[in-house]
Amino acid sequence: MAPKLPTSAATARKTPLTLVKATGAVEIKADADLTLADRRLFNHLLAHAYESLGKVESHAIELASIRRFAAEVRDGTADVNNTRLKASIETLQKVLCQFNYLRSDGTPGWESAQLLGPCRIEGGVLTYTFHSWVSERLKEPALYSYLSLRIIYEFESKYALTLYEVLKRYADRNAAEPYWQTKVEELRAILGCVDKLKDWKDLRKYALDPALSEIARLGEFEATLHEIRQGGGRGGGRVVGCVFRIQRKSKQEAEQAVREIAKPKAQRRGERAAAKEEGLFAAKADAALRFLEGAEVAKRMEWAKRAEELGMTLPPAATAKDNLRKWVPALAEVIVDAEHLRVRGALGTAKE
């Protein structure tokens, strides 16, 4: 039999577009593997319930309104049923929300409770609850972090969303040079990567670097990651911690982020793909130029002749180093392929 949940008058209240989120909520350490959809839903439910947290026992929202909002933000079509939302609700009910704190006498304390309590769906309306301990932490006034619900739905990576939530808290502080420092194991717990991407290089390549790039595009700040290493060996030892140094954007840069969010998601993806292609072209042009600038005159003459055979019109004294930039970039892809050059650029280092 379903648990008896108190009724709530929150059903008709419109969900605010600004979510006030406490530090405890930001630094949820979840054993479960929360997907991007799970994290978005939790933020949406918290935003909808925030004004009445601690005042009522339960909160209510039409599931169709969540589907419509998500579809509108992502320029997509809303789900026709609640299957995926129900799956996320079940996942959130399995997550433990844990808090470390200090009592008034200075002794440490620890709390643990379900992130999302008992829920019920009737007539398309979700009635949901937070444990009183969790509500207290979510509402804690000294630890607010202001998050835009629209930005939250724009993130395409759960790692980007999670990292944004944490860094936003520090970016909002009145500090000249805000930063967040953490141990690697604590970072893994927050990101939900305790048993995934176990090698630091993989964690950085597939989770952290793409997340920081996405935050820089969509957020009102950007951050730089500095590794803290311990021990000797290649690369300076094992990475045991990291510092995220936060740079707030100028007014012009922040306005650019707003314009980026306003673009349809398909357009943003297309522009990123074009920029990536442009970056690869520039990297190949640079590799070809460096190769021919350091090559013997005979090699430069060989490629100049091949360029003419391909129909290119070369400048006088084409093989002079000062003139290579006038024609080599147009032939760069062929040179890189034929000479088996190594390309360094926006896509990293690739061996052709």
Side-chain angles (χ1 to χ4, degrees):
M1 183 176 178
K4 183 178 180 181
L5 300 177
T7 58
S8 169
T11 306
R13 183 171 56 78
K14 186 177 180 181
T15 302
L17 291 184
T18 300
L19 163 62
V20 186
K21 197 169 183 184
T23 301
V26 168
E27 296 185 357
I28 292 167
K29 296 182 179 180
D31 293 331
D33 183 16
L34 292 178
T35 66
L36 181 59
D38 299 335
R39 294 178 183 275
R40 283 172 173 163
L41 178 61
F42 177 74
N43 281 310
H44 199 125
L45 295 180
L46 178 57
H48 183 77
Y50 188 79
E51 292 179 4
S52 57
L53 274 178
K55 300 176 183 177
V56 298
E57 295 181 55
S58 67
H59 315 274
I61 186 172
E62 292 181 352
L63 290 174
S65 70
I66 301 178
R67 301 198 308 267
R68 285 195 300 270
F69 183 84
E72 177 187 347
V73 172
R74 299 200 301 268
D75 302 304
T77 303
D79 289 344
V80 295
N81 57 48
N82 300 319
T83 302
R84 289 198 291 183
L85 289 178
K86 288 172 68 176
S88 288
I89 292 169
E90 291 175 2
T91 298
L92 293 173
Q93 288 182 308
K94 298 175 184 177
V95 175
L96 293 180
C97 192
Q98 302 177 351
F99 304 95
N100 292 304
Y101 63 94
L102 292 177
R103 297 175 56 182
S104 58
D105 60 2
T107 57
W110 175 79
E111 292 177 357
S112 178
Q114 279 181 293
L115 182 58
L116 187 63
C119 297
R120 179 179 62 224
I121 297 176
E122 285 183 349
V125 174
L126 168 66
T127 302
Y128 60 101
T129 64
F130 296 109
H131 192 283
S132 60
W133 291 356
V134 175
S135 293
E136 290 173 8
R137 298 299 181 184
L138 297 180
K139 193 71 174 179
E140 194 168 342
L143 301 174
Y144 289 164
S145 182
Y146 292 84
L147 305 174
S148 164
L149 195 58
R150 182 167 290 274
I151 290 179
I152 285 170
Y153 272 94
E154 291 291 348
F155 282 114
E156 298 182 47
S157 159
K158 66 178 182 180
Y159 302 125
L161 171 54
T162 306
L163 197 58
Y164 171 80
E165 291 180 347
V166 178
L167 296 180
K168 182 71 167 69
R169 163 192 161 202
Y170 292 88
D172 286 346
R173 288 182 175 177
N174 186 23
E177 298 181 357
Y179 68 90
W180 176 49
Q181 63 183 32
T182 181
K183 297 178 181 178
V184 169
E185 58 267 28
E186 293 174 349
L187 177 62
R188 286 185 173 279
I190 291 172
L191 293 177
C193 281
V194 175
D195 297 317
K196 298 168 60 178
L197 304 175
K198 293 185 178 182
D199 187 278
W200 169 258
K201 290 183 179 179
D202 290 338
L203 180 66
R204 176 148 191 178
K205 179 178 180 180
Y206 297 110
L208 295 175
D209 286 345
L212 290 173
S213 177
E214 195 168 358
I215 290 170
R217 287 199 312 274
L218 301 176
E220 63 278 42
F221 63 87
E222 54 189 5
T224 305
L225 170 59
H226 300 275
E227 300 173 350
I228 306 300
R229 294 178 177 269
Q230 184 176 36
R234 186 177 181 182
R238 182 172 63 91
V239 178
V240 296
C242 45
V243 178
F244 294 86
R245 298 202 173 275
I246 300 165
Q247 300 88 40
R248 301 184 185 94
K249 291 182 178 178
S250 65
K251 180 180 179 181
Q252 183 178 3
E253 292 171 330
E255 290 174 348
Q256 176 59 38
V258 172
R259 288 193 293 271
E260 184 75 7
I261 294 172
K263 296 177 182 176
K265 188 161 292 186
Q267 179 182 345
R268 291 206 306 269
R269 288 173 178 168
E271 290 176 352
R272 290 202 301 273
K276 186 177 292 187
E277 186 67 26
E278 183 178 340
L280 180 58
F281 174 81
K284 288 184 176 181
D286 181 66
L289 281 168
R290 284 188 289 105
F291 170 72
L292 288 182
E293 285 172 350
E296 298 291 337
V297 174
K299 176 61 73 172
R300 295 202 293 271
M301 291 179 65
E302 175 187 331
W303 277 106
K305 181 180 179 181
R306 187 164 178 181
E308 290 178 331
E309 291 173 349
L310 291 171
M312 293 179 62
T313 301
L314 302 187
T319 57
K321 290 186 179 181
D322 291 342
N323 290 329
L324 292 177
R325 292 186 177 275
K326 298 178 181 179
W327 60 276
V328 169
L331 202 62
E333 190 166 353
V334 179
I335 296 173
V336 165
D337 183 62
E339 300 291 351
H340 306 289
L341 302 182
R342 188 177 293 272
V343 176
R344 295 176 176 85
L347 298 182
T349 300
K351 190 172 183 179
E352 294 292 324

